[in-house]
Amino acid sequence: MIVAVIWSEVPGSALAGRLELTDGDATLWGRERSGDERTASFSCHDLIDVRIERFGPSRLGGRPTLILEHRSGRLFGISPIDSVGVLGELAERFSLQSKLLPA
Amino acid sequence: MDVEPPSCPTIMASAEGDGGVVSRRTLKRRPRTLYAQLVGVAATPAARLQALVEAGMSLTSELSLDAVLGRLIQTAAELTGAKYAALGVIDASHTKLERFVTHGVEESTHAMIGSLPTGRGILGLLINDARPIRLHDLTEDPHSVGFPAHHPEMRSFLGVPVMLRGTNYGNLYLSEKEDGSDFSEEDQELVTLLAGQAAIAIENARLYEASTRWSRRLETLNEVGNALATETDIALLLDLIVRRLRELLSAKLVTLSLPHGADEIRIAAAAGEGSEGLIGNVHLLDETKSGRVFQRRRSERVDSLVDDPEVTVEGTRRLGLHAGIWVPMIAHDRTIGIISAADKLTAVDHRFSDDDLRLAETFASRAATAVDISERVARDILRRVVDAQETERRRLARELHDETGQALTSILLGLKSLEETVATSPEAELAVAGLRELVVATLQDVRRLAVELRPKALDDFGLVAALERLTDTYSGQTGITVDFEAALPDDRFPPEIETTLYRMVQEALTNVVKHARARRVSILLTQRPNSVAAVIEDDGTGFDPTEPGDGFGLTAMRERVNMVGGTLTIETGQGTGTTIVVEVPIR
Ligand SMILES: Nc1ncnc2c1ncn2[C@@H]1O[C@H](COP(=O)(O)OP(=O)(O)OP(=O)(O)O)[C@@H](O)[C@H]1O
Ligand SMILES: [Mg+2]
């Protein structure tokens, strides 16, 4: 599954790009407003928390945002662009893949 | 000469065809009158003439070619007093014997000789040079190649061509005149007359075979027509078409291509050897024979693929193909596809005949109608689904915007007055401020959701206004620069057209963020007298459009454009950016 997203590694600036989720692996690619490109990838098994933040400073692009907490301590915020209902679907997938939710 | 009819003579024919061996019963049915004529009086010219006439009459009343030939050589043998008689029928290519019928050779002897003559030696001479031959001793002739093992001894020989209107159908051979003398001039004349009768019989039988073959094919065609008429699943239908046509033509390979965008065709179905891996291949119209025939709208037969400059050499070589036919599928004067068949398996030189081409044309026209209907049905279903989906989205968006949005706005106003009245306690003030923030965010989300479902601007102000808003939000969010230009004399179009173009641009823009890594996108709306087009061009990575991906977006775009009778063209390649052109007719 490939989704158009705004994402950031918290704390950090927002990037526009994509999230690719295949089997248990997630790859993020994006470009900042400055033009810098960045990628990040991790295995879903290494996530220790998956949640949606609807309010507050974690919102990316003024939208509810999926927050993924990696066991290394890294924190990712992901917010899908222009696709109604995808946020919930992503949250479910990450939870299942990370075994935080029983399948 | 014997007064008794020969006891159950055995007639053998060539191994080709199923009518090869004639049963004894068939021969026993021969008219007694002929024997009555022959008994004791066979030598007188008048009796011979009468026997000949009767033989002719009985010959033309037979329908089975083998029975006719068996009867003929028997009569020839009896009238000339030959011990052995045979008749070789030359095949349509005029190079070898198609069947070989004998009289006077026992079945056991036949079995021992083995395979039938191939038309070499003296028999070959008769094939190549259609003139009567009379020999005193067959074995001494310079053309003789000798007899195979177990072949009976034969010396005196008479061979005459079986001719009609200049066409040589075969030869009639007689050998071993029973009184030991040579065959006479008179024998030759008589056998030539009989051979003329035989030629008519052979021609009739061939015409009869051809007409029954054609009517069998028509029957199959009818069956297929009925099957086609009941199949509305387009993929299954296309598969059925190629498989059935392949059977009908005995072709090695049959493919069916449909238009793909404005200047490409795509192989949509294939059956036969090498068909795996062909489906889904996309070619420019000018690049292949199929594409060219599609444009010319005229069927073609090519007997030698390598000599046709329009046929791609690579594919032909790889699949080992020699000959082919191409037939456009036309329904309601619209070319909806092209069928091609390669290599007739039952023909030595792999060529298709004119009959095959006509059959394929008839088939293609039925198939075209079936495909046309099924495409219409599919479009109709899709249109209903899409309509229903848009209506649903419009309702939800309105509900969210009007009802939920209004409710949240009222809550916001309530919180404001609450803030003023409970301002005495700092905790309460904080709590109310927190609530207000929540409500503001929720209101934002609800409004955004409503726009994403279906922007109200599209219904209220039209395509250009809706796209202006979409592109603004898009570049604000992604940082990708969007140049939007609308050069449209009209400001509104039918709702279906506006929605289609809006959704096309929306999907294309999403693809740009997801896949293109582009910095800039330009969107241009233009209008022609009968159509309106959107061109979406990015400066990103580009891609290989022939590579099948998991995504559904482009396919859905194409289907949606087809649904309104429009076209979608993608110009792209690795590293070249991507241009998508969507053109839809305005009725
Ligand atoms: N503008 C573009 N630039 C580069 N590649 C593109 C572009 N548009 C499409 N592609 C390529 O074409 C493929 C098919 O696109 P399509 O929209 O059909 O699928 P998707 O975007 O991957 O998935 P979906 O649209 O179903 O969410 C993509 O996976 C991508 O590789
Ligand atoms: Mg897509």
Side-chain angles (χ1 to χ4, degrees), chain A residues 18 31 33 55 59 63, chain B residues 438 445 476-477 514 517-518:
Chain A
R18 67 188 223 158
R31 190 184 281 134
R33 292 204 162 259
F55 309 104
R59 276 169 74 100
R63 299 155 177 264
Chain B
L438 284 189
D445 290 346
Q477 266 178 346
K514 270 162 71 172
R517 306 193 172 195

Side-chain angles (χ1 to χ4, degrees), chain B residues 231-249:
Chain B
E231 185 56 75
T232 51
D233 181 315
I234 184 92
L236 292 178
L237 177 65
L238 299 179
D239 187 56
L240 186 70
I241 291 171
V242 289
R243 280 191 293 112
R244 287 303 177 90
L245 185 63
R246 180 169 176 251
E247 285 162 22
L248 273 176
L249 293 176

Side-chain angles (χ1 to χ4, degrees), chain A residues 76-94:
Chain A
F76 297 95
I78 298 171
S79 169
I81 302 174
D82 198 25
S83 31
V84 177
V86 173
L87 185 73
E89 192 180 327
L90 280 182
E92 196 173 270
R93 282 200 184 214
F94 275 113

Side-chain angles (χ1 to χ4, degrees), chain A residues 2, chain B residues 507-508 511-512 514-516 538 541-543 551-555 578:
Chain A
I2 303 176
Chain B
E507 168 62 21
N511 273 353
V512 172
K514 270 162 71 172
H515 309 295
D538 70 57
T541 55
F543 65 105
F552 179 62
L554 290 178
T555 311
T578 302

